[in-house]
Amino acid sequence: MSILVNKDTKVIVQGFTGGEGTFHSEQCMEYGTNIVGGVTPNKGGQEHLGKPVFNTVKEAVDATGATVSMVFVPPAFVADAVMEAADAGIELAVVITEGAPVKDMMYAKMYATKKGMKTIGPNCPGIITADECKIGIMPGNIFKKGKVGLISKSGTLTYEGANQVCNEGFGISTAVGIGGDPIIGLSYKQLLQMFQDDPETEAIVMIGEIGGDLEIQAAKFIKENITKPVVAFIAGQTAPKGKRMGHAGAIVSGSAGTAKEKMEALEAAGVKVVVSPAEIGKAVKEVLS
Amino acid sequence: MNIHEYQAKQIFAEYGVPTPRGLIAETVEEAVENAKELGGNIWVVKAQIHAGGRGLGGGVKLAKSLDEVKKYADEILGMTLVTHQTGPEGKLVQKVYIEEGADIKDELYLGVVLDRAKEMPVIMASTEGGMEIEKVAEETPEKIIKVAIDPTIGFQGFHGRELVFGLGITDKLEQRKFIDFASKLFKIYMDKDVELIEINPLIKTGSGDFLALDGKMGFDDSALFRHPDIEAMRDISEEDPDEREAAEYGLSYIALDGEIGCMVNGAGLAMGTMDTINYVGGTPANFLDVGGKANAETVAKGFEIILKNPNVKAIFVNIFGGIVRCDRIANGILEATKMVDVKVPVIVRLDGTNAPEAAEILKNANIDNVINATDLLDGAKKAVAAAKGEL
């Protein structure tokens, strides 16, 4: 077991034939991901990386039975791609692209929700179920199979956290990079519940950052619904107010969205909160022994 | 991206949001000419900088004669204005906006921003105009009315009624005027990919008209590609030169006031590195995300920008190599140290794909001030020790 994706998941790639799409699709296929085709308008009928290319997501879904789409299209076309996937009956869109306008994502997410499609991202490393399926841009080799679920707003902190967990002798069931934009698809709450329900996952690592209140909502949710141990790190304790720290959503506005407030809320919910990401591995060992 | 008050008011005017009449000036002579052209016998001389609190800092003056316009424009142009939003170094004033005086009866607040929890825009309004809205939110949150608007239906009559009843506007004509004002502001927010739009104060005049006395606007950087008119309003003199230079090379840089320069791949890990330095007793000198494609050129540029800060006593390079292999990054770092003269100790932690090979490369290079670290904590500790001259 795992969450959302496994070795049987059929994946298509939107923006399949572009530079990034090609490079990362190849890496995913090497990892073992079952990529069954891709979509690039006006290139339908061609073959790319040994897989069929379609003009539309609908055609791709009809021909391949794909349920998940990995999205690599340029920022200006992200919303269109997400809505097309939702319209074609895709169940999960994993949006890697960075720099999609917030307004576009606002509409795209509303439509996806209406159509019952889940979204991960945008601006995220993707999702990986260790040794089974990688849909995204993370280095697959650091994710060893195991029993820790990981949810993170940050790409490299996902790698850092997973690496430490594996170095401590544990492994990862599924890791999800949710992205740090102001509007994102799946968030901590939904993913925490999935990990709670996954028999393979025994502990959860949650990595957040300054800005917004998703971590605060997660803390409330954990208190009421999650019985598995949770380890958390919130990046940006030393970040100045009013400055955007790389991610579009990572900004403390006024006194809202600080790391301190999030860490306190999580601690109050019984979460093991670490002050430095260097402590994630050790903390996982602690809660699992 | 932020714009000046006078530019925000140009956008307001395009959409029919009422503002006092005004003209922009870069010299004292222009300022006086502007006042003459506007007519009347009372004007406001307003410093144009990207920061709030200008009035308290002496950047907004009421002039009751052309002589006073001249006097105040002369004072304000070229002054370094310090407000609670500029930081202690303040900002140089290069433009003044000359505006006709207004008959202020009431001061209100009106703003539109994204409600991240609801994932839709929210209009915020308050009777406590002219005050810092964050203070109002903290002390008297009941005095802020929030109306979230589903963008698929847009601004409807009931949204407007919630606003006017919430603000206690009872006169029917005034209600109509305010609702019209708010609906236009919302349209600007949606049309222009605005991140934040704020009018504080929005005034009611003696004759019951509503006017935007101030205007603050920020835009979604990711959407600027479809708004060349907004992009043209960029005032680069308002932006931090080092941050701007870094951005030109695809680096995301923010200066802080500590001693340890940081160079990291990924924004989250960059913040995590700063936090870890702090955790082991040091102080970070900056946030710097070199992005996913760290190579010799970007690393060299990173060193250059970090070293502009005279407080930097050591640099911590913390890279988690994913798709990009660590051995390549190690070579990039070595090359970069040849391109830029780095006199402070550089602590390098490379982890991830091919990390052992990378450690070997750094070891063999045998450069005195390049010190290898095994993991994040080790690297942070070594950086702190190096900054204290203990390594």
Side-chain angles (χ1 to χ4, degrees):
Chain A
M1 281 288 284
S2 54
I3 68 163
L4 290 164
V5 298
N6 59 39
K7 60 184 188 319
D8 300 320
T9 306
K10 287 182 178 174
V11 183
I12 54 161
V13 183
Q14 286 174 266
F16 191 33
T17 57
E20 297 275 304
T22 301
F23 177 77
H24 289 292
S25 297
E26 223 169 356
Q27 299 264 326
C28 290
M29 286 158 81
E30 252 174 53
Y31 192 79
T33 307
N34 186 19
I35 291 182
V36 295
V39 177
T40 301
N42 291 315
K43 291 197 175 168
Q46 297 181 11
E47 206 173 75
H48 186 64
L49 307 177
K51 303 291 172 191
V53 182
F54 301 91
N55 280 325
T56 68
V57 178
K58 226 173 224 137
E59 285 169 22
V61 168
D62 285 347
T64 65
T67 56
V68 174
S69 176
M70 174 162 72
V71 180
F72 273 106
V73 303
F77 309 110
V78 163
D80 183 11
V82 169
M83 292 191 274
E84 183 184 359
D87 192 60
I90 287 285
E91 291 165 17
L92 170 69
V94 182
V95 188
I96 309 300
T97 311
E98 176 178 359
V102 174
K103 185 171 78 177
D104 293 10
M105 280 316 299
M106 184 163 73
Y107 285 114
K109 190 177 175 189
M110 280 179 179
Y111 186 68
T113 306
K114 187 175 155 191
K115 288 282 178 177
M117 184 183 79
K118 298 182 181 80
T119 309
I120 293 175
N123 188 15
C124 78
I127 175 169
I128 184 166
T129 291
D131 291 349
E132 293 192 38
C133 177
K134 163 181 132 149
I135 303 172
I137 58 174
M138 61 288 270
N141 58 318
I142 58 168
F143 297 84
K144 311 275 182 281
K145 188 91 192 152
K147 52 191 177 186
V148 178
L150 196 152
I151 314 165
S152 169
K153 272 184 177 175
S154 145
T156 37
L157 275 179
T158 306
Y159 316 157
E160 178 73 49
N163 196 44
Q164 286 179 30
V165 168
C166 296
N167 286 345
E168 290 289 345
F170 303 98
I172 299 294
S173 52
T174 299
V176 190
I178 58 176
D181 273 10
I183 291 184
I184 57 172
L186 290 178
S187 172
Y188 298 109
K189 257 176 26 183
Q190 299 99 320
L191 292 162
L192 282 162
Q193 184 65 58
M194 290 179 207
F195 280 129
Q196 173 73 23
D197 296 340
D198 173 33
E200 198 184 294
T201 302
E202 289 179 15
I204 305 161
V205 172
M206 147 179 181
I207 299 170
E209 63 190 23
I210 52 165
D213 74 338
L214 292 178
E215 293 87 349
I216 304 271
Q217 291 178 34
K220 282 184 201 142
F221 187 77
I222 289 168
K223 202 170 189 175
E224 286 160 18
N225 303 284
I226 304 297
T227 55
K228 294 180 181 176
V230 181
V231 168
F233 169 69
I234 305 295
Q237 298 153 52
T238 47
K241 278 184 184 180
K243 284 278 186 183
R244 200 176 300 275
M245 308 303 281
H247 293 153
I251 182 165
V252 175
S253 1
S255 54
T258 63
K260 185 166 177 272
E261 145 193 64
K262 295 181 182 193
M263 289 163 77
E264 284 170 2
L266 286 162
E267 246 158 29
V271 171
K272 168 98 187 143
V273 179
V274 294
V275 187
S276 158
E279 309 282 331
I280 291 171
K282 264 190 255 167
V284 167
K285 192 175 180 179
E286 235 181 276
V287 300
L288 277 177
S289 56
Chain B
M1 188 193 106
N2 296 325
I3 58 172
H4 289 292
E5 172 201 0
Y6 79 94
Q7 295 167 320
K9 285 179 173 172
Q10 283 168 9
I11 299 173
F12 292 173
E14 270 173 51
Y15 280 78
V17 172
T19 63
R21 292 180 309 126
L23 294 162
I24 191 75
E26 288 180 39
T27 64
V28 177
E29 296 70 39
E30 267 184 292
V32 175
E33 280 310 306
N34 288 350
K36 279 185 196 157
E37 197 176 325
L38 290 169
N41 51 19
I42 191 158
W43 302 271
V44 189
V45 182
K46 304 172 96 175
Q48 297 296 292
I49 57 165
H50 288 184
R54 291 169 299 166
L56 290 172
V60 179
K61 299 275 185 187
L62 193 67
K64 290 177 179 153
S65 68
L66 289 173
D67 279 345
E68 280 189 8
V69 170
K70 189 177 172 193
K71 178 176 163 239
Y72 292 137
D74 194 39
E75 272 174 30
I76 293 172
L77 277 167
M79 83 185 282
T80 300
L81 188 54
V82 179
T83 82
H84 68 282
Q85 286 183 2
T86 59
E89 68 279 8
K91 273 186 171 171
L92 179 70
V93 182
Q94 293 172 309
K95 287 179 180 150
V96 285
Y97 192 51
I98 310 299
E99 200 168 63
E100 64 183 355
D103 164 24
I104 303 173
K105 194 175 167 215
D106 276 325
E107 289 187 298
L108 307 170
Y109 168 94
L110 187 65
V112 192
V113 68
L114 175 73
D115 183 325
R116 284 170 67 170
K118 292 199 169 79
E119 300 183 330
M120 55 179 76
V122 60
I123 298 189
M124 294 190 297
S126 175
T127 51
E128 307 301 291
M131 288 186 45
E132 227 181 292
I133 199 66
E134 280 160 9
K135 221 172 181 181
V136 180
E138 230 165 78
E139 288 165 9
T140 47
E142 71 281 0
K143 287 185 174 167
I144 298 179
I145 302 135
K146 292 182 179 177
V147 179
I149 298 183
D150 181 336
T152 57
I153 63 167
F155 189 101
Q156 298 292 327
F158 73 92
H159 295 128
R161 291 192 293 278
E162 265 183 64
L163 287 170
V164 293
F165 291 129
L167 290 170
I169 299 171
T170 49
D171 180 86
K172 278 188 183 167
L173 183 61
E174 284 178 17
Q175 287 178 347
R176 258 208 323 270
K177 284 179 181 168
F178 189 88
I179 291 171
D180 182 57
F181 191 113
S183 76
K184 284 171 175 163
L185 203 68
F186 181 75
K187 185 163 168 46
I188 295 174
Y189 178 89
M190 293 306 295
D191 282 1
K192 302 285 186 193
D193 282 284
V194 173
E195 188 173 86
L196 165 86
I197 186 166
E198 208 171 38
I199 300 176
N200 192 17
L202 181 164
I203 58 155
K204 191 171 96 178
T205 64
S207 50
D209 285 313
F210 294 97
L211 286 180
L213 208 59
D214 196 3
K216 183 179 170 188
M217 288 179 83
F219 299 85
D220 177 4
D221 289 331
S222 296
L224 284 176
F225 70 89
R226 58 188 173 207
H227 300 291
D229 54 330
I230 303 296
E231 178 82 62
M233 291 181 171
R234 180 179 288 265
D235 180 352
I236 55 168
S237 70
E238 285 287 335
E239 295 168 18
D240 180 274
D242 293 333
E243 287 177 21
R244 203 175 67 234
E245 190 188 343
E248 280 169 22
Y249 288 84
L251 310 175
S252 176
Y253 172 86
I254 292 163
L256 304 168
D257 46 19
E259 294 183 339
I260 298 169
C262 304
M263 188 172 347
V264 189
N265 66 329
L269 188 59
M271 282 188 272
T273 303
M274 288 157 42
D275 294 343
T276 305
I277 288 170
N278 183 57
Y279 176 55
V280 297
T283 51
N286 64 275
F287 166 93
L288 175 59
D289 173 12
V290 291
K293 292 183 184 93
N295 58 36
E297 210 205 344
T298 53
V299 172
K301 196 73 211 173
F303 279 140
E304 211 181 294
I305 292 168
I306 289 173
L307 288 168
K308 279 188 186 174
N309 179 348
N311 299 330
V312 171
K313 296 205 169 70
I315 297 177
F316 181 18
V317 179
N318 182 21
I319 308 276
F320 200 104
I323 300 294
V324 186
R325 299 192 326 253
C326 289
D327 50 333
R328 275 206 202 166
I329 300 169
N331 282 321
I333 292 167
L334 294 180
E335 248 178 88
T337 56
K338 286 175 205 157
M339 292 154 78
V340 183
D341 184 21
V342 185
K343 290 210 171 70
V344 299
V346 179
I347 287 73
V348 181
R349 179 263 181 153
L350 290 171
D351 215 332
T353 318
N354 288 8
E357 289 87 337
E360 197 64 19
I361 290 168
L362 290 176
K363 205 176 125 199
N364 293 338
N366 210 11
I367 301 176
D368 278 352
N369 63 338
V370 176
I371 299 152
N372 193 35
T374 51
D375 60 27
L376 172 56
L377 197 60
D378 181 48
K381 281 180 180 162
K382 282 180 175 163
V384 172
K388 288 181 183 155
E390 293 168 1
L391 198 73

